[in-house]
């Protein structure tokens, strides 16, 4: 049985890529290679290594600080315990990086956080997550008279739009109107409003939701183009942590990471803590959208 890694930043020094590979192999992760290290650095799971100049005529290999060596082993251990495919495991690790930075549990370079954000927004949700989100939305709006076929169709359409990262607004509005209103209430299918005025305007709700998704896509574009500055990231984090409504979410995330601890990081096999990291990420993105003037 593979042993939990015990490397600590307090008893090791900076390391090259070869050192990180050796660390991983010693801990039982024998498939890790130099390419793995480069990929993890690109995805934001590791910081960029620093130059180490030892003479006047050149520099030695770049090195990762001790804290990053420790982080690497801990993340490898988390990844091993996640049952899904490699794409989902990678996005959970990227969310974890952002969560640790958001809560001040780990001091990370803002450039690493920017790349981790880019990675997790680039693969925001799995198909299963999209289906759960779609079901929650549709079930919350469905009228008791809506048929099973109408509800199933609405869930499918919403999940497909979530997977594409864009909204066919007319199509989504149409299927939600179908499940949301009893036809005896004289629903206005063009706007999603009712004669009684007690039902929320679906057209406005869908426009707001579509606007939020458009803003998220623009955040992704700016992250990819390196147009989000460290100052903007830090200000969004400050606003996030100044909101009292986030206190419970922070505590939930920390407690689940402790209850399902895996080398000190969230990532239990049931993905409970991973779900909380997504909640934190979404709340932070709201703040970043505001900072960037997108919403």
């Amino acid at each position: 049985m593979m042993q939990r890694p015990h490397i600590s930043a307090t008893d090791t020094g900076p390391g090259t890529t070869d050192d990180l590979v050796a660390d991983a192999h010693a801990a039982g992760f024998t498939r890790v290679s130099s390419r793995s290290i480069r990929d993890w650095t690109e995805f934001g799971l590791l910081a960029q290594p620093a130059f180490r100049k030892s003479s006047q005529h050149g520099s030695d290999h770049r090195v990762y600080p001790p804290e990053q060596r420790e982080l690497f082993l801990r993340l490898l251990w988390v990844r091993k315990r996640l049952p899904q495919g490699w794409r989902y495991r990678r996005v959970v690790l990227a969310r974890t990086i952002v969560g640790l930075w958001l809560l001040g549990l780990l001091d990370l370079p803002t450039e690493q956080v920017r790349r981790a954000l880019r990675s997790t927004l680039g693969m925001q949700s799995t198909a299963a997550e999209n289906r759960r989100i779609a079901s929650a939305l549709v079930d919350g709006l469905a009228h008791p008279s809506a048929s099973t076929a109408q509800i199933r169709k609405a869930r499918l359409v919403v999940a497909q739009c979530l997977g594409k990262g864009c909204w066919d607004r007319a199509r989504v509005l149409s299927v939600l109107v179908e499940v949301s209103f009893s036809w005896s209430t004289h629903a206005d299918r063009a706007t999603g409003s009712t004669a009684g005025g007690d039902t929320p305007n679906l057209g406005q709700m869908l426009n707001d939701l579509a606007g939020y998704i458009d803003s998220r896509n623009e955040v992704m574009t700016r992250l990819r183009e390196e147009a989000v500055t460290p100052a903007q990231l830090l200000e969004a984090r400050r606003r996030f942590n100044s909101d009292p409504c986030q206190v419970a979410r922070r505590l939930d995330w920390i407690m689940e990471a402790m209850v399902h601890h895996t080398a000190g990081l969230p990532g239990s096999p049931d993905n409970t803590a991973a779900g909380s990291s997504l909640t934190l990420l979404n709340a932070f993105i709201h703040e970043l959208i505001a900072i960037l003037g997108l919403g």
Side-chain angles (χ1 to χ4, degrees):
M1 181 177 178
M2 184 179 295
Q3 297 296 312
R4 175 173 161 176
H6 291 290
I7 188 171
S8 171
T10 61
D11 56 20
T12 190
T16 63
T17 296
D18 289 342
D19 290 330
L20 267 65
V21 171
D23 291 343
H25 287 192
F29 301 101
T30 56
R31 299 182 65 180
V32 170
S33 64
S34 298
R35 173 64 183 271
S36 304
I37 308 297
R38 291 194 295 271
D39 287 345
W40 279 45
T41 302
E42 174 64 22
F43 298 147
L45 306 182
L46 289 171
Q48 290 284 1
F51 280 110
R52 180 178 58 175
K53 189 172 181 63
S54 60
S55 70
Q56 295 181 345
H57 304 290
S59 60
D60 292 337
H61 293 293
R62 293 187 176 205
V63 293
Y64 293 86
E67 297 79 9
Q68 292 283 324
R69 290 181 70 177
E70 180 182 6
L71 176 65
F72 180 54
L73 283 186
R74 290 173 181 264
L75 289 176
L76 282 171
W77 193 257
V78 171
R79 187 183 67 170
K80 180 176 176 59
R81 290 174 60 88
L82 291 170
Q84 287 85 356
W86 70 270
R87 287 174 63 87
Y88 182 77
R89 292 197 298 267
R90 188 174 75 185
V91 78
V92 168
L93 295 184
R95 290 177 193 165
T96 299
I97 289 292
V98 177
L100 291 168
W101 173 79
L102 268 179
L103 304 182
L105 299 177
L106 198 61
D107 185 19
L108 298 171
T110 51
E111 170 55 25
Q112 179 183 359
V113 175
R114 183 191 66 78
R115 285 182 281 112
L117 274 172
R118 182 192 65 194
S119 297
T120 190
L121 289 179
M123 296 188 298
Q124 175 59 35
S125 301
T126 65
E129 287 173 330
N130 290 336
R131 288 193 295 270
R132 285 196 296 271
I133 295 170
S135 293
L137 176 62
V138 173
D139 294 351
L141 293 171
H143 190 276
S145 66
S147 69
T148 302
Q150 288 174 324
I151 291 175
R152 186 184 299 116
K153 177 183 176 183
R155 289 173 176 170
L156 178 63
V157 169
V158 174
Q160 287 175 341
C161 286
L162 287 169
K164 294 177 181 178
C166 60
W167 286 83
D168 182 339
R169 302 185 191 199
R171 187 181 181 206
V172 172
L173 178 59
S174 175
V175 296
L176 290 182
V177 166
E178 284 186 12
V179 301
S180 299
F181 300 105
S182 164
W183 298 119
S184 63
T185 61
H186 308 294
D188 179 352
R189 301 185 67 174
T191 64
S193 62
T194 61
D198 295 329
T199 305
N201 186 302
L202 272 181
Q204 184 60 49
M205 184 194 75
L206 262 293
N207 283 335
D208 292 344
L209 189 53
Y212 172 67
I213 290 176
D214 289 343
S215 296
R216 285 180 65 98
N217 290 340
E218 179 61 23
V219 169
M220 175 63 187
T221 298
R222 296 193 187 189
L223 288 168
R224 188 186 299 116
E225 295 175 351
E226 301 185 15
V228 179
T229 68
Q232 288 170 328
L233 287 174
L234 291 170
E235 175 60 15
R237 182 176 69 168
R238 186 195 67 77
R239 292 192 185 186
F240 171 88
N241 283 304
S242 67
D243 182 358
C245 294
Q246 302 302 334
V247 173
R249 290 174 178 160
R250 292 199 298 269
L251 291 176
D252 285 345
W253 194 83
I254 293 170
M255 288 303 296
E256 287 169 1
M258 291 172 63
V259 171
H260 304 286
H261 74 285
T262 306
L265 294 177
S268 58
D270 62 7
N271 296 316
T272 306
S276 290
S277 69
L278 178 57
T279 300
L280 292 179
L281 173 68
N282 287 334
F284 174 68
I285 292 301
H286 273 285
E287 299 294 350
L288 188 56
I289 286 173
I291 291 294
L292 297 174
L294 299 175

